[in-house]
PDB file of all heavy atoms in Angstrom:
ATOM      1  N   ASN A   1       0.812  -1.190  -0.045  1.00  0.00           N
ATOM      2  CA  ASN A   1      -0.003   0.047  -0.027  1.00  0.00           C
ATOM      3  C   ASN A   1       0.832   1.239  -0.019  1.00  0.00           C
ATOM      4  O   ASN A   1       0.283   2.337   0.066  1.00  0.00           O
ATOM      5  CB  ASN A   1      -1.071  -0.021   1.186  1.00  0.00           C
ATOM      6  CG  ASN A   1      -0.296  -0.048   2.520  1.00  0.00           C
ATOM      7  OD1 ASN A   1       0.936  -0.070   2.579  1.00  0.00           O
ATOM      8  ND2 ASN A   1      -1.147  -0.111   3.569  1.00  0.00           N
ATOM      9  N   THR A   2       2.192   1.135  -0.096  1.00  0.00           N
ATOM     10  CA  THR A   2       3.024   2.326  -0.328  1.00  0.00           C
ATOM     11  C   THR A   2       3.481   2.525  -1.746  1.00  0.00           C
ATOM     12  O   THR A   2       4.053   3.478  -2.141  1.00  0.00           O
ATOM     13  CB  THR A   2       4.211   2.286   0.555  1.00  0.00           C
ATOM     14  OG1 THR A   2       5.133   1.208   0.192  1.00  0.00           O
ATOM     15  CG2 THR A   2       3.833   2.061   2.035  1.00  0.00           C
ATOM     16  N   TYR A   3       3.167   1.427  -2.537  1.00  0.00           N
ATOM     17  CA  TYR A   3       3.626   1.418  -3.892  1.00  0.00           C
ATOM     18  C   TYR A   3       2.670   1.988  -4.951  1.00  0.00           C
ATOM     19  O   TYR A   3       1.497   1.657  -4.861  1.00  0.00           O
ATOM     20  CB  TYR A   3       4.056   0.034  -4.370  1.00  0.00           C
ATOM     21  CG  TYR A   3       5.106  -0.668  -3.479  1.00  0.00           C
ATOM     22  CD1 TYR A   3       4.996  -1.971  -3.286  1.00  0.00           C
ATOM     23  CD2 TYR A   3       6.167   0.065  -3.032  1.00  0.00           C
ATOM     24  CE1 TYR A   3       5.924  -2.592  -2.511  1.00  0.00           C
ATOM     25  CE2 TYR A   3       7.151  -0.581  -2.299  1.00  0.00           C
ATOM     26  CZ  TYR A   3       7.004  -1.843  -2.000  1.00  0.00           C
ATOM     27  OH  TYR A   3       7.965  -2.571  -1.220  1.00  0.00           O
ATOM     28  N   ALA A   4       3.142   2.763  -5.877  1.00  0.00           N
ATOM     29  CA  ALA A   4       2.433   2.976  -7.063  1.00  0.00           C
ATOM     30  C   ALA A   4       2.661   1.784  -7.965  1.00  0.00           C
ATOM     31  O   ALA A   4       3.773   1.212  -7.972  1.00  0.00           O
ATOM     32  CB  ALA A   4       2.872   4.261  -7.821  1.00  0.00           C
ATOM     33  N   MET A   5       1.749   1.328  -8.733  1.00  0.00           N
ATOM     34  CA  MET A   5       1.851   0.099  -9.504  1.00  0.00           C
ATOM     35  C   MET A   5       1.665   0.440 -11.023  1.00  0.00           C
ATOM     36  O   MET A   5       0.887   1.276 -11.399  1.00  0.00           O
ATOM     37  CB  MET A   5       0.824  -0.866  -9.165  1.00  0.00           C
ATOM     38  CG  MET A   5       0.942  -1.288  -7.650  1.00  0.00           C
ATOM     39  SD  MET A   5       2.493  -2.143  -7.229  1.00  0.00           S
ATOM     40  CE  MET A   5       2.386  -3.587  -8.372  1.00  0.00           C
ATOM     41  N   GLY A   6       2.510  -0.262 -11.825  1.00  0.00           N
ATOM     42  CA  GLY A   6       2.304  -0.036 -13.274  1.00  0.00           C
ATOM     43  C   GLY A   6       2.267  -1.297 -13.985  1.00  0.00           C
ATOM     44  O   GLY A   6       2.672  -2.397 -13.577  1.00  0.00           O
ATOM     45  N   TRP A   7       1.614  -1.293 -15.180  1.00  0.00           N
ATOM     46  CA  TRP A   7       1.558  -2.408 -16.128  1.00  0.00           C
ATOM     47  C   TRP A   7       2.265  -1.942 -17.407  1.00  0.00           C
ATOM     48  O   TRP A   7       2.079  -0.902 -17.877  1.00  0.00           O
ATOM     49  CB  TRP A   7       0.163  -2.707 -16.450  1.00  0.00           C
ATOM     50  CG  TRP A   7      -0.606  -3.521 -15.369  1.00  0.00           C
ATOM     51  CD1 TRP A   7      -1.391  -3.065 -14.406  1.00  0.00           C
ATOM     52  CD2 TRP A   7      -0.421  -4.892 -15.135  1.00  0.00           C
ATOM     53  NE1 TRP A   7      -1.870  -4.025 -13.614  1.00  0.00           N
ATOM     54  CE2 TRP A   7      -1.284  -5.176 -14.041  1.00  0.00           C
ATOM     55  CE3 TRP A   7       0.295  -6.006 -15.782  1.00  0.00           C
ATOM     56  CZ2 TRP A   7      -1.429  -6.561 -13.538  1.00  0.00           C
ATOM     57  CZ3 TRP A   7       0.049  -7.287 -15.286  1.00  0.00           C
ATOM     58  CH2 TRP A   7      -0.771  -7.533 -14.153  1.00  0.00           C
ATOM     59  N   PHE A   8       3.170  -2.847 -17.821  1.00  0.00           N
ATOM     60  CA  PHE A   8       3.868  -2.651 -19.134  1.00  0.00           C
ATOM     61  C   PHE A   8       3.641  -3.905 -19.982  1.00  0.00           C
ATOM     62  O   PHE A   8       3.299  -4.922 -19.490  1.00  0.00           O
ATOM     63  CB  PHE A   8       5.369  -2.368 -18.834  1.00  0.00           C
ATOM     64  CG  PHE A   8       5.701  -1.164 -18.139  1.00  0.00           C
ATOM     65  CD1 PHE A   8       5.542  -1.026 -16.800  1.00  0.00           C
ATOM     66  CD2 PHE A   8       6.201  -0.071 -18.872  1.00  0.00           C
ATOM     67  CE1 PHE A   8       5.747   0.143 -16.119  1.00  0.00           C
ATOM     68  CE2 PHE A   8       6.519   1.049 -18.150  1.00  0.00           C
ATOM     69  CZ  PHE A   8       6.313   1.192 -16.782  1.00  0.00           C
ATOM     70  N   ARG A   9       4.006  -3.708 -21.268  1.00  0.00           N
ATOM     71  CA  ARG A   9       3.933  -4.854 -22.136  1.00  0.00           C
ATOM     72  C   ARG A   9       5.126  -4.849 -23.174  1.00  0.00           C
ATOM     73  O   ARG A   9       5.545  -3.738 -23.425  1.00  0.00           O
ATOM     74  CB  ARG A   9       2.590  -4.970 -22.864  1.00  0.00           C
ATOM     75  CG  ARG A   9       2.243  -3.855 -23.906  1.00  0.00           C
ATOM     76  CD  ARG A   9       0.951  -3.969 -24.443  1.00  0.00           C
ATOM     77  NE  ARG A   9       0.621  -2.954 -25.412  1.00  0.00           N
ATOM     78  CZ  ARG A   9      -0.571  -2.808 -26.026  1.00  0.00           C
ATOM     79  NH1 ARG A   9      -1.554  -3.469 -25.666  1.00  0.00           N
ATOM     80  NH2 ARG A   9      -0.712  -1.782 -26.950  1.00  0.00           N
ATOM     81  N   GLN A  10       5.474  -5.878 -23.662  1.00  0.00           N
ATOM     82  CA  GLN A  10       6.582  -6.027 -24.614  1.00  0.00           C
ATOM     83  C   GLN A  10       6.147  -7.056 -25.700  1.00  0.00           C
ATOM     84  O   GLN A  10       6.035  -8.216 -25.356  1.00  0.00           O
ATOM     85  CB  GLN A  10       7.855  -6.296 -24.020  1.00  0.00           C
ATOM     86  CG  GLN A  10       9.072  -6.190 -24.985  1.00  0.00           C
ATOM     87  CD  GLN A  10      10.368  -6.121 -24.251  1.00  0.00           C
ATOM     88  OE1 GLN A  10      10.481  -6.625 -23.192  1.00  0.00           O
ATOM     89  NE2 GLN A  10      11.366  -5.606 -24.908  1.00  0.00           N
ATOM     90  N   ALA A  11       5.996  -6.586 -26.901  1.00  0.00           N
ATOM     91  CA  ALA A  11       5.641  -7.533 -27.982  1.00  0.00           C
ATOM     92  C   ALA A  11       6.990  -7.982 -28.636  1.00  0.00           C
ATOM     93  O   ALA A  11       8.028  -7.189 -28.551  1.00  0.00           O
ATOM     94  CB  ALA A  11       4.805  -6.853 -28.996  1.00  0.00           C
ATOM     95  N   PRO A  12       6.979  -9.036 -29.402  1.00  0.00           N
ATOM     96  CA  PRO A  12       8.228  -9.485 -30.006  1.00  0.00           C
ATOM     97  C   PRO A  12       8.808  -8.448 -30.996  1.00  0.00           C
ATOM     98  O   PRO A  12       8.090  -7.873 -31.781  1.00  0.00           O
ATOM     99  CB  PRO A  12       7.759 -10.763 -30.770  1.00  0.00           C
ATOM    100  CG  PRO A  12       6.547 -11.199 -30.081  1.00  0.00           C
ATOM    101  CD  PRO A  12       5.892 -10.027 -29.570  1.00  0.00           C
ATOM    102  N   GLY A  13      10.147  -8.162 -30.799  1.00  0.00           N
ATOM    103  CA  GLY A  13      10.763  -7.198 -31.638  1.00  0.00           C
ATOM    104  C   GLY A  13      10.478  -5.745 -31.293  1.00  0.00           C
ATOM    105  O   GLY A  13      10.955  -4.928 -32.065  1.00  0.00           O
ATOM    106  N   LYS A  14       9.779  -5.453 -30.258  1.00  0.00           N
ATOM    107  CA  LYS A  14       9.434  -4.142 -29.888  1.00  0.00           C
ATOM    108  C   LYS A  14       9.916  -3.771 -28.439  1.00  0.00           C
ATOM    109  O   LYS A  14      10.217  -4.698 -27.689  1.00  0.00           O
ATOM    110  CB  LYS A  14       7.991  -3.908 -29.975  1.00  0.00           C
ATOM    111  CG  LYS A  14       7.360  -4.055 -31.371  1.00  0.00           C
ATOM    112  CD  LYS A  14       5.911  -3.704 -31.411  1.00  0.00           C
ATOM    113  CE  LYS A  14       5.368  -3.816 -32.841  1.00  0.00           C
ATOM    114  NZ  LYS A  14       3.900  -3.477 -32.848  1.00  0.00           N
ATOM    115  N   GLU A  15      10.073  -2.561 -28.207  1.00  0.00           N
ATOM    116  CA  GLU A  15      10.455  -2.092 -26.870  1.00  0.00           C
ATOM    117  C   GLU A  15       9.280  -2.195 -25.912  1.00  0.00           C
ATOM    118  O   GLU A  15       8.086  -2.246 -26.277  1.00  0.00           O
ATOM    119  CB  GLU A  15      10.871  -0.659 -26.922  1.00  0.00           C
ATOM    120  CG  GLU A  15      12.212  -0.459 -27.770  1.00  0.00           C
ATOM    121  CD  GLU A  15      12.724   0.953 -27.720  1.00  0.00           C
ATOM    122  OE1 GLU A  15      12.024   1.855 -27.277  1.00  0.00           O
ATOM    123  OE2 GLU A  15      13.845   1.203 -28.157  1.00  0.00           O
ATOM    124  N   ARG A  16       9.637  -2.261 -24.677  1.00  0.00           N
ATOM    125  CA  ARG A  16       8.658  -2.325 -23.591  1.00  0.00           C
ATOM    126  C   ARG A  16       7.870  -0.989 -23.610  1.00  0.00           C
ATOM    127  O   ARG A  16       8.332   0.133 -23.746  1.00  0.00           O
ATOM    128  CB  ARG A  16       9.317  -2.473 -22.210  1.00  0.00           C
ATOM    129  CG  ARG A  16       8.353  -2.692 -21.121  1.00  0.00           C
ATOM    130  CD  ARG A  16       9.053  -3.198 -19.820  1.00  0.00           C
ATOM    131  NE  ARG A  16       9.701  -4.488 -20.036  1.00  0.00           N
ATOM    132  CZ  ARG A  16      10.316  -5.202 -19.105  1.00  0.00           C
ATOM    133  NH1 ARG A  16      10.476  -4.685 -17.926  1.00  0.00           N
ATOM    134  NH2 ARG A  16      10.762  -6.398 -19.398  1.00  0.00           N
ATOM    135  N   GLU A  17       6.549  -1.138 -23.409  1.00  0.00           N
ATOM    136  CA  GLU A  17       5.576  -0.116 -23.612  1.00  0.00           C
ATOM    137  C   GLU A  17       4.769   0.044 -22.309  1.00  0.00           C
ATOM    138  O   GLU A  17       4.243  -0.950 -21.676  1.00  0.00           O
ATOM    139  CB  GLU A  17       4.609  -0.334 -24.801  1.00  0.00           C
ATOM    140  CG  GLU A  17       3.516   0.686 -24.970  1.00  0.00           C
ATOM    141  CD  GLU A  17       2.577   0.284 -25.981  1.00  0.00           C
ATOM    142  OE1 GLU A  17       2.492  -0.951 -26.450  1.00  0.00           O
ATOM    143  OE2 GLU A  17       1.850   1.130 -26.561  1.00  0.00           O
ATOM    144  N   PHE A  18       4.562   1.272 -21.861  1.00  0.00           N
ATOM    145  CA  PHE A  18       3.700   1.542 -20.724  1.00  0.00           C
ATOM    146  C   PHE A  18       2.179   1.351 -21.111  1.00  0.00           C
ATOM    147  O   PHE A  18       1.699   1.892 -22.082  1.00  0.00           O
ATOM    148  CB  PHE A  18       3.924   3.008 -20.238  1.00  0.00           C
ATOM    149  CG  PHE A  18       2.971   3.409 -19.076  1.00  0.00           C
ATOM    150  CD1 PHE A  18       3.203   2.961 -17.820  1.00  0.00           C
ATOM    151  CD2 PHE A  18       1.951   4.382 -19.362  1.00  0.00           C
ATOM    152  CE1 PHE A  18       2.416   3.360 -16.808  1.00  0.00           C
ATOM    153  CE2 PHE A  18       1.165   4.729 -18.341  1.00  0.00           C
ATOM    154  CZ  PHE A  18       1.384   4.184 -17.044  1.00  0.00           C
ATOM    155  N   VAL A  19       1.519   0.615 -20.240  1.00  0.00           N
ATOM    156  CA  VAL A  19       0.127   0.366 -20.458  1.00  0.00           C
ATOM    157  C   VAL A  19      -0.790   1.195 -19.546  1.00  0.00           C
ATOM    158  O   VAL A  19      -1.615   1.893 -19.970  1.00  0.00           O
ATOM    159  CB  VAL A  19      -0.208  -1.099 -20.239  1.00  0.00           C
ATOM    160  CG1 VAL A  19      -1.723  -1.459 -20.368  1.00  0.00           C
ATOM    161  CG2 VAL A  19       0.594  -2.034 -21.202  1.00  0.00           C
ATOM    162  N   GLY A  20      -0.419   1.113 -18.249  1.00  0.00           N
ATOM    163  CA  GLY A  20      -1.184   1.944 -17.284  1.00  0.00           C
ATOM    164  C   GLY A  20      -0.519   1.921 -15.950  1.00  0.00           C
ATOM    165  O   GLY A  20       0.256   1.090 -15.624  1.00  0.00           O
ATOM    166  N   GLY A  21      -0.960   2.836 -15.146  1.00  0.00           N
ATOM    167  CA  GLY A  21      -0.392   2.952 -13.707  1.00  0.00           C
ATOM    168  C   GLY A  21      -1.487   3.407 -12.759  1.00  0.00           C
ATOM    169  O   GLY A  21      -2.448   4.007 -13.195  1.00  0.00           O
ATOM    170  N   ILE A  22      -1.257   3.077 -11.529  1.00  0.00           N
ATOM    171  CA  ILE A  22      -2.160   3.523 -10.445  1.00  0.00           C
ATOM    172  C   ILE A  22      -1.384   3.850  -9.240  1.00  0.00           C
ATOM    173  O   ILE A  22      -0.442   3.212  -8.913  1.00  0.00           O
ATOM    174  CB  ILE A  22      -3.192   2.327 -10.177  1.00  0.00           C
ATOM    175  CG1 ILE A  22      -4.271   2.857  -9.179  1.00  0.00           C
ATOM    176  CG2 ILE A  22      -2.492   1.139  -9.716  1.00  0.00           C
ATOM    177  CD1 ILE A  22      -5.450   1.856  -9.074  1.00  0.00           C
ATOM    178  N   SER A  23      -1.819   4.952  -8.563  1.00  0.00           N
ATOM    179  CA  SER A  23      -1.135   5.405  -7.310  1.00  0.00           C
ATOM    180  C   SER A  23      -1.364   4.493  -6.157  1.00  0.00           C
ATOM    181  O   SER A  23      -2.201   3.597  -6.278  1.00  0.00           O
ATOM    182  CB  SER A  23      -1.638   6.856  -7.001  1.00  0.00           C
ATOM    183  OG  SER A  23      -2.948   6.856  -6.710  1.00  0.00           O
ATOM    184  N   TRP A  24      -0.630   4.769  -5.116  1.00  0.00           N
ATOM    185  CA  TRP A  24      -0.686   3.861  -3.955  1.00  0.00           C
ATOM    186  C   TRP A  24      -2.099   3.766  -3.383  1.00  0.00           C
ATOM    187  O   TRP A  24      -2.503   2.696  -2.825  1.00  0.00           O
ATOM    188  CB  TRP A  24       0.350   4.326  -2.930  1.00  0.00           C
ATOM    189  CG  TRP A  24      -0.037   5.629  -2.151  1.00  0.00           C
ATOM    190  CD1 TRP A  24       0.369   6.864  -2.598  1.00  0.00           C
ATOM    191  CD2 TRP A  24      -0.826   5.799  -0.986  1.00  0.00           C
ATOM    192  NE1 TRP A  24      -0.115   7.737  -1.706  1.00  0.00           N
ATOM    193  CE2 TRP A  24      -0.826   7.122  -0.745  1.00  0.00           C
ATOM    194  CE3 TRP A  24      -1.484   4.848  -0.176  1.00  0.00           C
ATOM    195  CZ2 TRP A  24      -1.527   7.680   0.361  1.00  0.00           C
ATOM    196  CZ3 TRP A  24      -2.137   5.384   0.979  1.00  0.00           C
ATOM    197  CH2 TRP A  24      -2.176   6.757   1.180  1.00  0.00           C
ATOM    198  N   ALA A  25      -2.832   4.866  -3.401  1.00  0.00           N
ATOM    199  CA  ALA A  25      -4.249   4.803  -2.836  1.00  0.00           C
ATOM    200  C   ALA A  25      -5.282   4.659  -3.894  1.00  0.00           C
ATOM    201  O   ALA A  25      -6.477   4.534  -3.592  1.00  0.00           O
ATOM    202  CB  ALA A  25      -4.524   6.149  -2.145  1.00  0.00           C
ATOM    203  N   GLY A  26      -4.891   4.578  -5.175  1.00  0.00           N
ATOM    204  CA  GLY A  26      -5.833   4.360  -6.220  1.00  0.00           C
ATOM    205  C   GLY A  26      -6.432   5.584  -6.777  1.00  0.00           C
ATOM    206  O   GLY A  26      -7.279   5.545  -7.746  1.00  0.00           O
ATOM    207  N   GLY A  27      -6.135   6.740  -6.308  1.00  0.00           N
ATOM    208  CA  GLY A  27      -6.800   8.001  -6.713  1.00  0.00           C
ATOM    209  C   GLY A  27      -6.228   8.594  -8.009  1.00  0.00           C
ATOM    210  O   GLY A  27      -6.818   9.509  -8.522  1.00  0.00           O
ATOM    211  N   SER A  28      -5.101   8.108  -8.461  1.00  0.00           N
ATOM    212  CA  SER A  28      -4.433   8.655  -9.654  1.00  0.00           C
ATOM    213  C   SER A  28      -4.206   7.481 -10.580  1.00  0.00           C
ATOM    214  O   SER A  28      -3.585   6.469 -10.189  1.00  0.00           O
ATOM    215  CB  SER A  28      -3.126   9.380  -9.261  1.00  0.00           C
ATOM    216  OG  SER A  28      -2.434   9.711 -10.449  1.00  0.00           O
ATOM    217  N   ILE A  29      -4.737   7.597 -11.804  1.00  0.00           N
ATOM    218  CA  ILE A  29      -4.669   6.519 -12.750  1.00  0.00           C
ATOM    219  C   ILE A  29      -4.354   7.119 -14.124  1.00  0.00           C
ATOM    220  O   ILE A  29      -4.801   8.155 -14.438  1.00  0.00           O
ATOM    221  CB  ILE A  29      -5.992   5.759 -12.860  1.00  0.00           C
ATOM    222  CG1 ILE A  29      -6.317   5.052 -11.555  1.00  0.00           C
ATOM    223  CG2 ILE A  29      -5.999   4.784 -14.049  1.00  0.00           C
ATOM    224  CD1 ILE A  29      -7.649   4.500 -11.539  1.00  0.00           C
ATOM    225  N   GLY A  30      -3.441   6.402 -14.809  1.00  0.00           N
ATOM    226  CA  GLY A  30      -3.112   6.866 -16.182  1.00  0.00           C
ATOM    227  C   GLY A  30      -2.862   5.667 -17.046  1.00  0.00           C
ATOM    228  O   GLY A  30      -2.568   4.618 -16.607  1.00  0.00           O
ATOM    229  N   PHE A  31      -3.053   5.932 -18.381  1.00  0.00           N
ATOM    230  CA  PHE A  31      -2.928   4.836 -19.349  1.00  0.00           C
ATOM    231  C   PHE A  31      -2.158   5.332 -20.592  1.00  0.00           C
ATOM    232  O   PHE A  31      -2.108   6.536 -20.824  1.00  0.00           O
ATOM    233  CB  PHE A  31      -4.297   4.387 -19.949  1.00  0.00           C
ATOM    234  CG  PHE A  31      -5.164   3.758 -18.830  1.00  0.00           C
ATOM    235  CD1 PHE A  31      -6.166   4.561 -18.244  1.00  0.00           C
ATOM    236  CD2 PHE A  31      -5.005   2.464 -18.545  1.00  0.00           C
ATOM    237  CE1 PHE A  31      -6.942   4.003 -17.271  1.00  0.00           C
ATOM    238  CE2 PHE A  31      -5.840   1.958 -17.473  1.00  0.00           C
ATOM    239  CZ  PHE A  31      -6.799   2.699 -16.883  1.00  0.00           C
ATOM    240  N   GLY A  32      -1.513   4.426 -21.254  1.00  0.00           N
ATOM    241  CA  GLY A  32      -0.869   4.626 -22.410  1.00  0.00           C
ATOM    242  C   GLY A  32      -1.921   4.916 -23.582  1.00  0.00           C
ATOM    243  O   GLY A  32      -3.005   4.409 -23.519  1.00  0.00           O
ATOM    244  N   ASP A  33      -1.456   5.667 -24.604  1.00  0.00           N
ATOM    245  CA  ASP A  33      -2.471   6.096 -25.640  1.00  0.00           C
ATOM    246  C   ASP A  33      -2.988   4.870 -26.404  1.00  0.00           C
ATOM    247  O   ASP A  33      -4.062   4.940 -26.863  1.00  0.00           O
ATOM    248  CB  ASP A  33      -1.683   6.963 -26.613  1.00  0.00           C
ATOM    249  CG  ASP A  33      -1.399   8.300 -26.106  1.00  0.00           C
ATOM    250  OD1 ASP A  33      -2.037   8.656 -25.054  1.00  0.00           O
ATOM    251  OD2 ASP A  33      -0.522   8.968 -26.665  1.00  0.00           O
ATOM    252  N   SER A  34      -2.163   3.809 -26.460  1.00  0.00           N
ATOM    253  CA  SER A  34      -2.578   2.651 -27.215  1.00  0.00           C
ATOM    254  C   SER A  34      -3.755   1.900 -26.645  1.00  0.00           C
ATOM    255  O   SER A  34      -4.388   1.072 -27.315  1.00  0.00           O
ATOM    256  CB  SER A  34      -1.483   1.685 -27.532  1.00  0.00           C
ATOM    257  OG  SER A  34      -0.918   1.181 -26.189  1.00  0.00           O
ATOM    258  N   VAL A  35      -4.006   2.037 -25.268  1.00  0.00           N
ATOM    259  CA  VAL A  35      -5.008   1.320 -24.665  1.00  0.00           C
ATOM    260  C   VAL A  35      -6.039   2.146 -24.016  1.00  0.00           C
ATOM    261  O   VAL A  35      -7.034   1.626 -23.416  1.00  0.00           O
ATOM    262  CB  VAL A  35      -4.437   0.393 -23.585  1.00  0.00           C
ATOM    263  CG1 VAL A  35      -3.420  -0.608 -24.162  1.00  0.00           C
ATOM    264  CG2 VAL A  35      -3.783   1.219 -22.506  1.00  0.00           C
ATOM    265  N   LYS A  36      -6.010   3.462 -24.156  1.00  0.00           N
ATOM    266  CA  LYS A  36      -7.031   4.319 -23.537  1.00  0.00           C
ATOM    267  C   LYS A  36      -8.425   3.962 -24.070  1.00  0.00           C
ATOM    268  O   LYS A  36      -8.611   3.857 -25.248  1.00  0.00           O
ATOM    269  CB  LYS A  36      -6.669   5.782 -23.848  1.00  0.00           C
ATOM    270  CG  LYS A  36      -5.514   6.281 -22.969  1.00  0.00           C
ATOM    271  CD  LYS A  36      -5.275   7.784 -23.274  1.00  0.00           C
ATOM    272  CE  LYS A  36      -4.141   8.303 -22.346  1.00  0.00           C
ATOM    273  NZ  LYS A  36      -3.886   9.706 -22.603  1.00  0.00           N
ATOM    274  N   GLY A  37      -9.308   3.909 -23.071  1.00  0.00           N
ATOM    275  CA  GLY A  37     -10.735   3.612 -23.515  1.00  0.00           C
ATOM    276  C   GLY A  37     -11.027   2.050 -23.546  1.00  0.00           C
ATOM    277  O   GLY A  37     -12.177   1.691 -23.580  1.00  0.00           O
ATOM    278  N   ARG A  38     -10.007   1.319 -23.366  1.00  0.00           N
ATOM    279  CA  ARG A  38     -10.161  -0.143 -23.437  1.00  0.00           C
ATOM    280  C   ARG A  38      -9.726  -0.892 -22.154  1.00  0.00           C
ATOM    281  O   ARG A  38      -9.968  -2.095 -22.021  1.00  0.00           O
ATOM    282  CB  ARG A  38      -9.465  -0.740 -24.675  1.00  0.00           C
ATOM    283  CG  ARG A  38      -9.923  -0.283 -25.991  1.00  0.00           C
ATOM    284  CD  ARG A  38      -9.406  -1.061 -27.126  1.00  0.00           C
ATOM    285  NE  ARG A  38      -7.906  -0.862 -27.179  1.00  0.00           N
ATOM    286  CZ  ARG A  38      -7.019  -1.846 -27.143  1.00  0.00           C
ATOM    287  NH1 ARG A  38      -7.456  -3.101 -26.941  1.00  0.00           N
ATOM    288  NH2 ARG A  38      -5.727  -1.624 -27.266  1.00  0.00           N
ATOM    289  N   CYS A  39      -9.018  -0.197 -21.282  1.00  0.00           N
ATOM    290  CA  CYS A  39      -8.479  -0.784 -20.095  1.00  0.00           C
ATOM    291  C   CYS A  39      -8.830  -0.026 -18.831  1.00  0.00           C
ATOM    292  O   CYS A  39      -9.041   1.208 -18.888  1.00  0.00           O
ATOM    293  CB  CYS A  39      -6.972  -0.861 -20.191  1.00  0.00           C
ATOM    294  SG  CYS A  39      -6.239  -1.930 -21.457  1.00  0.00           S
ATOM    295  N   THR A  40      -8.909  -0.730 -17.804  1.00  0.00           N
ATOM    296  CA  THR A  40      -9.048  -0.128 -16.418  1.00  0.00           C
ATOM    297  C   THR A  40      -8.061  -0.804 -15.527  1.00  0.00           C
ATOM    298  O   THR A  40      -7.711  -1.963 -15.691  1.00  0.00           O
ATOM    299  CB  THR A  40     -10.549  -0.279 -15.886  1.00  0.00           C
ATOM    300  OG1 THR A  40     -10.812  -1.749 -15.768  1.00  0.00           O
ATOM    301  CG2 THR A  40     -11.529   0.430 -16.821  1.00  0.00           C
ATOM    302  N   ILE A  41      -7.650   0.047 -14.491  1.00  0.00           N
ATOM    303  CA  ILE A  41      -6.740  -0.466 -13.481  1.00  0.00           C
ATOM    304  C   ILE A  41      -7.396  -0.292 -12.125  1.00  0.00           C
ATOM    305  O   ILE A  41      -8.059   0.756 -11.852  1.00  0.00           O
ATOM    306  CB  ILE A  41      -5.387   0.299 -13.539  1.00  0.00           C
ATOM    307  CG1 ILE A  41      -4.676  -0.087 -14.851  1.00  0.00           C
ATOM    308  CG2 ILE A  41      -4.539  -0.096 -12.320  1.00  0.00           C
ATOM    309  CD1 ILE A  41      -3.359   0.749 -14.992  1.00  0.00           C
ATOM    310  N   SER A  42      -7.228  -1.252 -11.287  1.00  0.00           N
ATOM    311  CA  SER A  42      -7.691  -1.203  -9.950  1.00  0.00           C
ATOM    312  C   SER A  42      -6.735  -1.889  -9.043  1.00  0.00           C
ATOM    313  O   SER A  42      -5.921  -2.612  -9.482  1.00  0.00           O
ATOM    314  CB  SER A  42      -9.185  -1.734  -9.805  1.00  0.00           C
ATOM    315  OG  SER A  42      -9.148  -3.147 -10.133  1.00  0.00           O
ATOM    316  N   ARG A  43      -6.990  -1.664  -7.740  1.00  0.00           N
ATOM    317  CA  ARG A  43      -6.115  -2.351  -6.774  1.00  0.00           C
ATOM    318  C   ARG A  43      -6.824  -2.643  -5.511  1.00  0.00           C
ATOM    319  O   ARG A  43      -7.826  -1.941  -5.175  1.00  0.00           O
ATOM    320  CB  ARG A  43      -4.833  -1.520  -6.409  1.00  0.00           C
ATOM    321  CG  ARG A  43      -5.155  -0.225  -5.737  1.00  0.00           C
ATOM    322  CD  ARG A  43      -3.845   0.686  -5.685  1.00  0.00           C
ATOM    323  NE  ARG A  43      -2.794   0.014  -4.869  1.00  0.00           N
ATOM    324  CZ  ARG A  43      -1.594   0.336  -4.967  1.00  0.00           C
ATOM    325  NH1 ARG A  43      -1.101   1.318  -5.741  1.00  0.00           N
ATOM    326  NH2 ARG A  43      -0.643  -0.308  -4.139  1.00  0.00           N
ATOM    327  N   ASP A  44      -6.455  -3.694  -4.831  1.00  0.00           N
ATOM    328  CA  ASP A  44      -7.035  -4.104  -3.576  1.00  0.00           C
ATOM    329  C   ASP A  44      -5.850  -4.243  -2.577  1.00  0.00           C
ATOM    330  O   ASP A  44      -5.174  -5.219  -2.567  1.00  0.00           O
ATOM    331  CB  ASP A  44      -7.825  -5.393  -3.696  1.00  0.00           C
ATOM    332  CG  ASP A  44      -8.556  -5.879  -2.429  1.00  0.00           C
ATOM    333  OD1 ASP A  44      -8.195  -5.331  -1.397  1.00  0.00           O
ATOM    334  OD2 ASP A  44      -9.424  -6.649  -2.481  1.00  0.00           O
TER     335      ASP A  44
END
């Protein structure tokens, strides 16, 4: 509960890409442009 968390992805032959992140309390969320509108992030 002190960590901000992030999701990344890496496709074959490509660099690692930011998918989304969430703050330690969940109040701040952000997504990469490639997945905006299609992904949600949550934490327990």
Side-chain angles (χ1 to χ4, degrees):
N1 61 3
T2 70
Y3 301 141
M5 302 295 299
W7 285 97
F8 293 77
R9 67 186 183 185
Q10 188 166 22
K14 297 184 178 180
E15 295 184 347
R16 186 168 295 185
E17 176 188 19
F18 176 74
V19 177
I22 185 169
S23 62
W24 69 270
S28 174
I29 296 173
F31 298 97
D33 290 339
S34 63
V35 300
K36 285 183 177 179
R38 299 189 295 119
C39 293
T40 59
I41 294 177
S42 61
R43 65 189 297 162
D44 187 338

